[in-house]
Amino acid sequence: MTHIDPPGGHGRPAVPSEAAAALARCVSVESAKFAAAHWGRTPLLSRADELPNRAGFTDLLSPADADELLSRRGLRTPFLRVAKDGQLVPAARFTGGGGAGAEIADQVLDERILELYAGGATLVLQGLHRTWPALIDFARDLGTAVGQPLQVNAYLTPAGSQGFATHYDTHDVFVLQVDGRKHWRIHPPVLPDPLEKQPWGGRADEVAATADGPAALDVVLAPGDALYLPRGWLHSAQAQESSSLHLTVGVRALTRYAMVEELLALAAEDQRLRATLPFGTDVADPDAIEPELTETVEALREWLLRADPAAVAARLRQRAWPAARPAPIRPLAQAAALAALDADTRLAPRPGLRWRLTVRGDQVALVLFDRTITLPASCAPAVRALLAADSVRVGDLPGLDDDADRLTLARRLLREAVLVPA
């Protein structure tokens, strides 16, 4: 069995210049230094004059863009949250029917949003990496650079208001200040590297006590400034003399604990670990449990020493890949390309697509984020050429006997949304 990885290796696409540029927009140090000194460790403040795009971040989402989303795009919950005085406002207070032809009851009502925002509420536009074109592309590029799936929210805060009390996130964030100024107070973690199952609410007293102490970072972000915060770092933010708009890019990083969870799932293969406890065992009695615990730990240790990295990687892939979608495709244009396909057509891999090619005997398996495509092994050189190059002419595909076979393969991969017209 032969594995063929994409140019980036280990199931990752190669890091293109667009991905490197996306990271450079967020941090004022070289990517290697960011990875070694800050990633998952310490905050990094990057001022606008230290970053390459002096125009700031309005090309990603401007106040006018936010107004369009709130008024003309038929926005629904949960793509909008509203917070006031540190509490979420019930969605029923700002949603209602969509009018004629829209048989839904949870569409955002712009009149009510105006009332809440003018009254000091913070608006949180959620999931913009799925709904706003510029952020769809930016999130894909930045996600490629850091090798992790991303989510993007926007926070619109009226002058002098604070949406949320001091808290920590269970994912890393890049804060990109788009418009206005916002005062941030950053404190060290009360729980370093928290998991998603360890939110700040369970440590509210510790968070509040730490927030009363001296800040590790006390700064005002102006338009074009960026701030990186590892998960667990406490933070609060308050708009200054005018309203504020900032983007928060959340990095849903995999952890070693995720590996532990997958190892334990795989450990079900071990018969010793599936054994029933002795008849009549009093599970509330530590003395009764002790010998069983000892034997279980020993069995688990022996199993872990035999654990197959390939099996663990396959399970982690099932977690990570679906969370980072490739670039959107254009269904109508794709269907037109299928109808017009010929030997002179040039095709390109779908941007951001993660894949793994495995040759097994007389078949080749193309593993994607949501399915596996099986093809004859003779297609492997052509598939590799299609996925590894910027673009390829169908008639130039290697390893196949004639254009009819090349067209059949190209048509299949276009229909499966693996390829797009170049």
Side-chain angles (χ1 to χ4, degrees):
M1 181 169 63
T2 304
H3 298 294
I4 305 172
D5 278 321
H10 304 293
R12 288 187 59 191
V15 178
S17 58
E18 295 87 351
L23 180 60
R25 292 191 67 174
C26 302
V27 298
S28 57
V29 297
E30 295 293 331
S31 59
K33 182 176 180 180
F34 172 72
H38 296 283
W39 177 250
R41 294 178 176 84
T42 60
L44 174 64
L45 172 64
S46 302
R47 293 297 189 184
D49 59 4
E50 301 174 308
L51 298 173
N53 192 340
R54 299 300 176 87
F57 303 108
T58 53
D59 60 315
L60 299 179
L61 184 83
S62 68
D65 296 334
D67 253 346
E68 181 175 332
L69 276 166
L70 291 165
S71 61
R72 294 180 177 271
R73 293 298 183 101
L75 203 65
R76 301 175 64 187
T77 55
F79 287 101
L80 177 70
R81 288 188 302 161
V82 179
K84 180 76 181 294
D85 299 326
Q87 301 293 323
L88 290 177
V89 175
R93 287 188 54 189
F94 57 87
T95 60
E103 307 301 325
I104 53 176
D106 65 345
Q107 190 163 331
V108 171
L109 302 178
D110 43 12
E111 310 90 339
R112 296 188 184 175
I113 291 300
L114 168 60
E115 178 184 359
L116 288 164
Y117 184 70
T122 289
L123 311 180
V124 186
L125 293 164
Q126 300 195 127
L128 292 172
H129 60 292
R130 296 285 293 136
T131 61
W132 193 251
L135 287 171
I136 292 172
D137 296 338
F138 177 73
R140 183 182 69 251
D141 290 339
L142 184 57
T144 299
V146 302
Q148 302 289 348
L150 305 181
Q151 62 188 46
V152 183
N153 296 342
Y155 291 76
L156 299 108
T157 307
S161 294
Q162 177 175 320
F164 298 94
T166 300
H167 64 285
Y168 66 74
D169 295 318
T170 58
H171 50 267
D172 294 19
V173 298
F174 294 96
V175 176
L176 311 178
Q177 187 69 27
V178 178
D179 188 64
R181 288 157 38 91
K182 206 161 194 181
H183 179 202
W184 286 77
R185 284 177 54 82
I186 313 298
H187 293 82
V190 298
L191 177 69
D193 299 328
L195 302 172
E196 289 191 13
K197 63 174 71 175
Q198 298 171 314
W200 76 274
R203 293 171 170 78
D205 291 343
E206 292 177 79
V207 169
T210 303
D212 285 338
L217 196 60
D218 191 327
V219 295
V220 173
L221 295 189
D225 291 345
L227 175 66
Y228 166 73
L229 291 178
R231 58 193 166 107
W233 281 74
L234 309 186
H235 55 275
S236 64
Q238 184 173 29
Q240 297 299 284
E241 65 279 356
S242 63
S243 60
S244 165
L245 166 59
H246 80 262
L247 298 170
T248 293
V249 182
V251 185
R252 309 296 292 270
L254 287 176
T255 65
R256 286 181 176 174
Y257 189 79
M259 278 194 176
V260 171
E261 290 177 323
E262 300 304 343
L263 283 166
L264 289 178
L266 289 168
E269 300 170 3
D270 191 298
Q271 183 176 353
R272 290 174 64 188
L273 293 170
R274 299 196 308 268
T276 304
L277 294 178
F279 180 81
T281 299
D282 182 358
V283 294
D285 180 0
D287 291 334
I289 289 297
E290 192 277 333
E292 289 301 315
L293 178 61
T294 298
E295 186 167 344
T296 300
V297 168
E298 180 61 23
L300 180 60
R301 188 187 69 83
E302 292 179 5
W303 185 87
L304 289 173
L305 292 173
R306 303 192 306 271
D308 179 9
V312 177
R315 294 187 65 91
L316 290 173
R317 182 172 65 236
Q318 292 170 7
R319 281 194 185 209
W321 284 15
R325 290 185 58 83
I329 59 165
R330 297 158 55 90
L332 303 186
Q334 195 88 347
L338 273 165
L341 188 70
D342 60 29
D344 287 325
T345 301
R346 297 193 71 85
L347 300 175
R350 183 179 179 182
L353 185 71
R354 292 191 172 193
W355 55 270
R356 184 175 174 83
L357 204 59
T358 301
V359 179
R360 299 176 179 172
D362 60 353
Q363 289 188 326
V364 58
L366 178 60
V367 180
L368 305 176
F369 71 101
D370 60 347
R371 64 199 182 282
T372 297
I373 300 171
T374 302
L375 300 162
S378 58
C379 293
V383 173
R384 173 69 177 175
L386 285 162
L387 289 172
D390 290 337
S391 71
V392 177
R393 178 180 173 273
V394 172
D396 295 334
L397 291 176
L400 297 175
D401 294 334
D402 52 44
D403 281 349
D405 290 340
R406 297 183 182 97
L407 286 167
T408 297
L409 173 63
R411 190 172 289 111
R412 171 79 185 278
L413 297 182
L414 268 174
R415 188 179 295 276
E416 295 276 5
V418 173
L419 304 175
V420 294

